[in-house]
C-alpha cells in the first residue's frame, strides 16, 4: 500500500461524492422534462466515478504488497509534459470563451498536434478545421443547440 494511492483514491472518492450529493442537487431546477432528465447522465457518471474511486481505495488498503519493488510510475519529465498539455487545453478554454468554438476549436487541435510533434501543415490544417466545422454544423443545424 502506498500513501499516494490511498490519498488519491480518498480524494477522488470525496470529489465523486461531493458532485453526487452536493453539486448535482444544487443544480436541480425542478422543471418537468419529457424523456430523460438533464440530471440523469451527470448522476450516472458521478455514481460510476464514486464506485471506481471506492474500488481503488479498497484495492490500495486490502492489497498492500502489490507495489513492492515498483518504481514511481510518473517521472518529473512526464509530469511536466502533462502539465504543459493541461495548460494548452486551459488556454484554449479561455480562447474559446473569448472568440467562440469555431475559431478556438481549430487553435486547440492545432496546438495539441504541434505539441505532440506533428509539423506538416497538410495534416494540421484539415485535422484542426474539418472536425470542428462538422461538430459545429451538427450541433447547430441538426440538434438546434447553440455553441459558444
Amino acid at each position: 500500500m502506498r500513501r499516494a494511492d490511498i490519498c488519491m483514491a480518498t480524494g477522488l472518492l470525496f470529489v465523486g461524492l461531493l458532485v453526487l450529493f452536493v453539486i448535482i442537487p444544487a443544480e436541480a431546477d425542478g422543471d418537468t422534462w419529457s424523456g430523460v432528465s438533464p440530471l440523469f447522465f451527470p448522476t450516472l457518471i458521478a455514481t460510476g466515478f464514486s464506485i471506481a474511486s471506492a474500488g481503488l481505495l479498497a484495492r490500495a488498503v486490502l492489497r498492500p504488497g502489490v507495489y513492492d519493488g515498483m518504481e514511481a510510475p510518473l517521472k518529473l519529465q512526464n509530469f511536466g509534459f502533462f502539465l504543459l498539455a493541461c495548460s494548452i487545453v486551459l488556454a484554449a478554454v479561455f480562447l474559446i470563451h473569448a472568440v467562440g468554438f469555431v475559431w478556438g476549436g481549430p487553435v486547440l487541435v492545432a496546438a495539441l498536434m504541434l505539441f505532440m510533434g506533428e509539423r506538416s501543415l497538410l495534416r494540421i490544417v484539415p485535422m484542426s478545421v474539418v472536425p470542428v466545422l462538422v461538430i459545429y454544423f451538427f450541433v447547430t443545424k441538426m440538434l438546434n443547440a447553440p455553441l459558444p
Side-chain angles (χ1 to χ4, degrees):
M1 142 177 64
R2 290 190 299 191
R3 237 178 305 155
D5 293 331
I6 293 175
C7 291
M8 184 56 73
T10 304
L12 290 173
L13 182 60
F14 174 75
V15 168
L17 294 175
L18 180 73
V19 168
L20 194 59
F21 293 111
V22 176
I23 296 173
I24 291 175
E27 296 297 320
D29 56 3
D31 288 342
T32 309
W33 297 91
S34 61
V36 177
S37 165
L39 300 176
F40 174 74
F41 288 112
T43 304
L44 183 67
I45 291 169
T47 302
F49 186 84
S50 298
I51 291 170
S53 300
L56 287 172
L57 182 60
R59 180 183 168 130
V61 171
L62 298 176
R63 296 183 64 193
V66 166
Y67 302 112
D68 289 342
M70 245 177 123
E71 50 180 83
L74 186 63
K75 296 187 178 9
L76 188 59
Q77 180 182 3
N78 295 341
F79 187 64
F81 189 81
F82 170 73
L83 287 180
L84 186 55
C86 289
S87 64
I88 290 171
V89 172
L90 183 63
V93 167
F94 289 128
L95 181 67
I96 289 171
H97 182 70
V99 299
F101 179 75
V102 173
W103 295 105
V107 171
L108 169 63
V109 175
L112 287 174
M113 287 180 76
L114 286 168
F115 176 66
M116 296 302 288
E118 181 61 52
R119 297 292 181 250
S120 170
L121 287 177
L122 292 174
R123 289 188 184 125
I124 292 174
V125 172
M127 289 307 300
S128 61
V129 173
V130 173
V132 170
L133 292 178
V134 168
I135 291 169
Y136 179 78
F137 284 114
F138 176 75
V139 170
T140 57
K141 303 299 181 199
M142 302 287 286
L143 300 178
N144 293 324
L147 278 174

